[in-house]
Amino acid sequence: MRILVLANTPAHVHLYRHAVDRLGRAGHDVLVLTREYACTTDLLDYFDVPYRVYGDHETEGYSTLAFGRELGGQFLSIGLQAIRFGPDVVFGRGPYAAVAGTLTRTPVVLVLDDEPGDFNHTVSRPFADCIISPDVTRRDLGAAHYTFDGFKECAYLHPDVFEGIDNIREYLDVDPDEPYVIVRFNALDALHDTALEGFGPDQRRDLIDRLSEAATVFVSDEGDEMDLRDLPARPYDLHPAMIHDAMAEASLLVADTGTMVNEAALLGTPAIRYRGTDDHEYGEFQELERVGLAEQFDEYDAVCDRALALLGDDEVGARWQRRRQEYVGDLVNLTELLVDVARSRGNLERLEGSTRRVLRPRSQSIQ
């Protein structure tokens, strides 16, 4: 079998990398098409994933006209490379997967979450043979839409999949018992981030100052804009592939971005999200709040107060790990599900009974 995967962001690399590895070791021919964006190709290289680049994603001077030109060139490259590869099934999301599947007349499997991606969902939905999303996703995308009990991050952070490295503290140069916090600042340069605002410059500096009174602070700045030389913080400068190992050992994660909050929560690390101007209600965050693994706040002062309260509680780490064991272990191992769906060429009727029971038609699960 020939399997084509569209991976446009670092999160997409993590979503598919274990499935790509398993399918490759089983003798299938797997190709990832990607773009130069953030650390996407760095991750693909680190995990030794076979890939080809179809374009890049400019984040400065971004405009509707520039986006249209960029998208046109990417569609052409994706189409040519997809036709050359000749896949039996295409995995991805948005118009990228739709173009590849349409031009090769190949079944398309979309793996989506609850981000406010109306453009992506609207454009790609008519071309999808199978749409898979977490059960907490609140939208119904039609007869081909199926859900599973879990999160897209379960493809790489499910307890049956994730294996953290033992010496991550040595890489970070922190003592065995030294508490540390990871602060993640969003670049807010994706299409669905348009007009959103997270931590402002003064808030970023104040947050670092206040957290540094209780723990060592590592800053992961997606936009690479902050000058930390006069701040009590250290840049998170390990390879981006090690971020989950670092999060798993952290005392706390504070962010104005979504994916890393989900990831920390599933690892059993207390996670706080600052919503800023983002008023979209995400099913993933609501579920993680319900089970006590993540928290989100509209007000900046509330973020700081809660972060300091968690850092001052010696029982927090053990409490969050108990919640993780009780909740995350019962979720679906998404990597296994993706492998089975790939082998079925996106035709769920071909799935074995045990796998088919994992997936529920969306129209039934929201009744």
Side-chain angles (χ1 to χ4, degrees):
M1 261 183 70
R2 299 171 75 81
I3 301 152
L4 179 64
V5 177
L6 278 295
N8 298 331
T9 70
H12 298 165
V13 174
H14 290 300
L15 170 63
Y16 291 111
R17 61 185 175 88
H18 289 292
V20 167
D21 178 65
R22 285 185 51 180
L23 289 164
R25 285 190 284 109
H28 300 290
D29 193 357
V30 188
L31 173 65
V32 174
L33 288 183
T34 190
R35 61 185 177 182
E36 294 286 357
Y37 170 65
C39 61
T40 304
T41 54
D42 291 333
L43 290 174
L44 290 166
D45 288 331
Y46 184 93
F47 293 118
D48 197 23
V49 176
Y51 72 91
R52 296 176 192 157
V53 175
Y54 66 76
D56 55 22
H57 178 56
E58 298 294 337
T59 59
E60 295 184 8
Y62 205 62
S63 67
T64 303
L65 180 60
F67 174 67
R69 290 174 176 170
E70 175 184 284
L71 205 58
Q74 292 178 355
F75 284 171
L76 177 61
S77 179
I78 289 170
L80 291 174
Q81 296 195 60
I83 291 171
R84 217 174 289 133
F85 182 64
D88 296 298
V89 64
V90 176
F91 281 81
R93 63 185 299 151
Y96 308 93
V99 166
T102 300
L103 293 179
T104 58
R105 298 182 180 181
T106 303
V108 174
V109 179
L110 305 180
V111 183
L112 306 176
D113 55 13
D114 209 19
E115 73 172 25
D118 292 330
F119 171 78
N120 283 330
H121 298 333
T122 300
V123 170
S124 58
R125 173 180 169 181
F127 302 93
D129 295 86
C130 176
I131 302 173
I132 300 173
S133 73
D135 192 48
V136 295
T137 301
R138 295 160 306 132
R139 70 185 74 213
D140 184 350
L141 298 175
H145 186 187
Y146 292 80
T147 67
F148 64 95
D149 187 13
F151 302 79
K152 72 180 191 304
E153 293 84 4
C154 287
Y156 53 99
L157 296 181
H158 190 281
D160 293 341
V161 177
F162 177 73
E163 296 181 5
I165 60 176
D166 295 331
N167 60 341
I168 188 63
R169 285 181 171 270
E170 295 179 17
Y171 282 101
L172 292 169
D173 192 24
V174 293
D175 294 335
D177 298 323
E178 182 178 349
Y180 68 87
V181 178
I182 297 177
V183 178
R184 172 66 165 181
F185 296 131
N186 198 343
L188 295 172
D189 59 2
L191 180 63
H192 57 264
D193 292 328
T194 303
L196 293 183
E197 296 180 4
F199 290 113
D202 292 340
Q203 291 174 331
R204 291 184 174 196
R205 298 175 66 88
D206 182 65
L207 177 66
I208 291 170
D209 281 332
R210 295 172 69 174
L211 292 177
S212 69
E213 297 175 2
T216 299
V217 178
F218 289 95
V219 174
S220 173
D221 179 18
E222 186 179 26
D224 196 24
E225 300 172 346
M226 287 203 69
D227 184 352
L228 300 177
R229 286 176 295 183
D230 62 342
L231 290 172
R234 295 158 57 182
Y236 174 81
D237 56 6
L238 301 186
H239 193 285
M242 303 175 76
I243 187 62
H244 301 120
D245 304 285
M247 279 196 288
E249 273 286 304
S251 300
L252 177 68
L253 175 105
V254 181
D256 56 4
T257 181
T259 297
M260 284 184 64
V261 171
N262 286 354
E263 291 171 334
L266 293 174
L267 288 166
T269 297
I272 296 176
R273 174 177 177 253
Y274 175 50
R275 291 165 58 105
T277 60
D278 187 357
D279 58 1
H280 181 79
E281 293 295 337
Y282 299 85
E284 290 93 338
F285 295 148
Q286 291 178 335
E287 174 66 6
L288 291 169
E289 282 188 299
R290 184 187 71 81
V291 298
L293 286 171
E295 302 175 11
Q296 57 181 338
F297 298 92
D298 296 324
E299 300 296 329
Y300 168 71
D301 287 339
V303 171
C304 292
D305 292 344
R306 183 55 176 158
L308 293 173
L310 289 171
L311 289 173
D313 185 346
D314 293 337
E315 301 301 319
V316 162
R319 194 159 65 245
W320 252 253
Q321 283 300 319
R322 284 196 301 271
R323 293 173 184 172
R324 177 182 186 253
Q325 292 170 8
E326 294 169 358
Y327 177 70
V328 182
D330 290 333
L331 299 178
V332 170
N333 179 339
L334 182 54
T335 285
E336 290 186 355
L337 179 58
L338 293 176
V339 168
D340 289 344
V341 171
R343 287 171 173 162
S344 78
R345 291 177 167 82
N347 185 344
L348 302 189
E349 296 299 319
R350 298 177 179 171
L351 293 174
E352 296 181 358
S354 58
T355 304
R356 290 179 63 181
R357 285 191 291 272
V358 166
L359 290 169
R360 295 184 291 273
R362 182 60 192 165
S363 57
Q364 294 180 13
S365 61
I366 62 176
Q367 290 178 353

